[in-house]
Amino acid sequence: MTDERVHIRPEIAVLPAYKQGRQAEASAFKLSSNENPFPPLPGVVEAVQAQTAFNRYPDATALAVRAELAHRFGTGVDEVHVAPGSVAILHELAKATAGPGDEVVYAWRSFEAYPGVVTVAGATSVQVPNRPDGGHDLDAMAAAVTERTRMLVVCTPNNPTGPVVTAAEFEAFMASVPPTLLVVLDEAYAEFVTDPDAVRGPALLERYPNLVVLRTFSKAYGLAGLRVGYALGPAYVLDAVRACAIPLSVTAQGQAAALASLERESELLERVSEIAALRDRVVTSLREQGWDVPDAQGNFVWLPTGAHTQHAAERFEQAGIIVRAFASEGIRISIGEHEAVGTLLETARSLVGDLQATE
């Protein structure tokens, strides 16, 4: 009997689909997806509800959102691209710059979508191990660049481990890589960063013409369900990205929500400060318990549970805390509702004793 299945690219046939954080039962806290625990900012729901012309296409260019972001960051409108989440822009950047025979460099472990982004583009991943503290080894990443490297991704703060790249580290790094290499600074969690030494991508765009900065409305702005992210960078690079994008992919509702959220910056900053303060409290408590927690600058913390990862994730789940497990490496726990903290820390305290007893 002949095989009548259609041809699938071999590398795609074995590529696992992106796996989101587990959903939670009503009685559990979902701390697996780095979602914002707050409801939409005031005025956002009303702005979305006003977009009722479902029979009409949205503005394909998201011009109003791009214009507002351009005003805020001091760029031209063509130097802003809006897409359904920053991960969509990663796909577009990879397809615009890399193909078979080309390489894309990124740290590992980092955002789990990176390997799939590269594979779908037809390029080859070059993964550079993080430092022992969970941060990027920028010297090793620069050394991994070859004549085949077309794109390099820096994730700060690094998801899922938490540390940032400092401004000084990034400046030295940019001086060591070719100016023809596209460097993507993935700042999905930038609003939560409190480290004064951390790099801030938008301020560097004029200085580095090979730099693209990614941001999102999914995390700090709490619009994860509406899928709106954006990129800042050279117009000709973003024009290539727009050529690779799926047309009409950012809904009118998402665009309206983004604009309404941008109008509520003071309320946003209050919420972000509250989450960051809770994050710092959790980190301090975990370290006091004996956990080796890396510096946390996003809205999440990382527990290096190693070979005990599955056991730890199950214990948290039994306690009503759904976490994100990375097999044989560790677990990432989002900073969510205040009510979850007591259970989180109590479970972590019991776990650290178990893990130390088995070493």
Side-chain angles (χ1 to χ4, degrees):
M1 184 175 179
T2 60
D3 188 346
E4 297 179 346
R5 293 178 297 179
V6 300
H7 174 74
I8 303 294
R9 286 165 50 193
E11 67 273 24
I12 299 299
V14 298
L15 179 67
Y18 175 78
K19 184 179 179 182
Q20 71 176 127
R22 279 192 54 204
Q23 301 298 312
E25 301 292 336
S27 59
F29 293 102
K30 183 188 176 189
L31 305 184
S32 58
S33 293
N34 292 347
E35 296 160 331
N36 194 316
F38 289 102
L41 289 159
V44 171
V45 172
E46 293 79 4
V48 171
Q49 290 174 333
Q51 299 296 321
T52 58
F54 301 144
N55 57 316
R56 304 296 183 187
Y57 288 116
D59 174 6
T61 68
L63 181 58
V65 180
R66 290 166 58 210
E68 177 60 29
L69 292 170
H71 173 72
R72 283 171 172 259
F73 291 109
T75 70
V77 173
D78 289 341
E79 296 170 306
V80 183
H81 173 57
V82 175
S86 56
V87 68
I89 305 175
L90 280 166
H91 274 281
E92 295 158 2
L93 284 164
K95 288 184 286 188
T97 60
D102 297 328
E103 296 174 345
V104 177
V105 175
Y106 52 89
W108 199 251
R109 172 170 291 277
S110 194
F111 181 32
E112 64 212 82
Y114 293 159
V117 164
V118 178
T119 299
V120 169
T124 300
S125 285
V126 177
Q127 298 181 344
V128 178
N130 285 320
R131 300 182 311 234
D133 66 359
H136 281 17
D137 186 340
L138 290 182
D139 289 341
M141 292 177 72
V145 173
T146 71
E147 69 278 357
R148 297 172 58 191
T149 310
R150 297 292 176 264
M151 187 170 85
L152 184 148
V153 185
V154 174
C155 185
T156 178
N158 187 46
N159 173 22
T161 56
V164 294
V165 170
T166 68
E169 289 171 339
F170 191 73
E171 180 180 359
F173 167 77
M174 291 299 285
S176 68
V177 299
T180 54
L181 172 66
L182 176 66
V183 176
V184 179
L185 195 60
D186 188 347
E187 293 187 315
Y189 300 90
E191 292 84 359
F192 299 104
V193 174
T194 55
D195 185 344
D197 295 326
V199 65
R200 297 286 183 176
L204 302 175
L205 290 168
E206 288 190 12
R207 183 173 180 183
Y208 300 114
N210 59 326
L211 176 65
V212 167
V213 177
L214 300 184
R215 296 273 179 104
T216 184
F217 287 94
S218 294
K219 308 304 181 184
Y221 288 90
L223 301 184
L226 288 172
R227 311 304 302 130
V228 185
Y230 62 95
L232 309 171
Y236 80 95
V237 174
L238 297 186
D239 283 343
V241 167
R242 285 183 271 267
C244 295
I246 297 174
L248 304 156
S249 56
V250 182
T251 66
Q253 293 74 28
Q255 294 179 42
L259 287 170
S261 296
L262 288 169
E263 293 175 357
R264 298 286 185 166
E265 188 168 32
S266 59
E267 291 98 328
L268 171 76
L269 294 177
E270 290 176 6
R271 293 179 173 190
V272 166
S273 295
E274 184 175 336
I275 292 171
L278 186 58
R279 172 200 69 202
D280 292 344
R281 174 188 155 196
V282 169
V283 169
T284 297
S285 297
L286 289 170
R287 287 174 175 169
E288 289 174 349
Q289 292 177 5
W291 287 100
D292 183 16
V293 181
D295 289 336
Q297 288 289 303
N299 64 336
F300 54 88
V301 297
W302 173 255
L303 297 184
T305 47
H308 306 284
T309 294
Q310 187 59 37
H311 168 71
E314 290 172 357
R315 285 282 296 277
F316 275 107
E317 182 174 355
Q318 290 166 4
I321 302 288
I322 307 302
V323 300
R324 189 64 170 271
F326 297 86
S328 302
E329 295 181 66
I331 59 176
R332 188 194 68 197
I333 309 176
S334 307
I335 302 301
E337 295 82 356
H338 283 265
E339 296 80 5
V341 171
T343 303
L344 188 166
L345 293 176
E346 180 181 347
T347 307
R349 184 184 300 279
S350 67
L351 270 170
V352 73
D354 291 349
L355 269 56
Q356 289 174 344
T358 60
E359 291 179 355

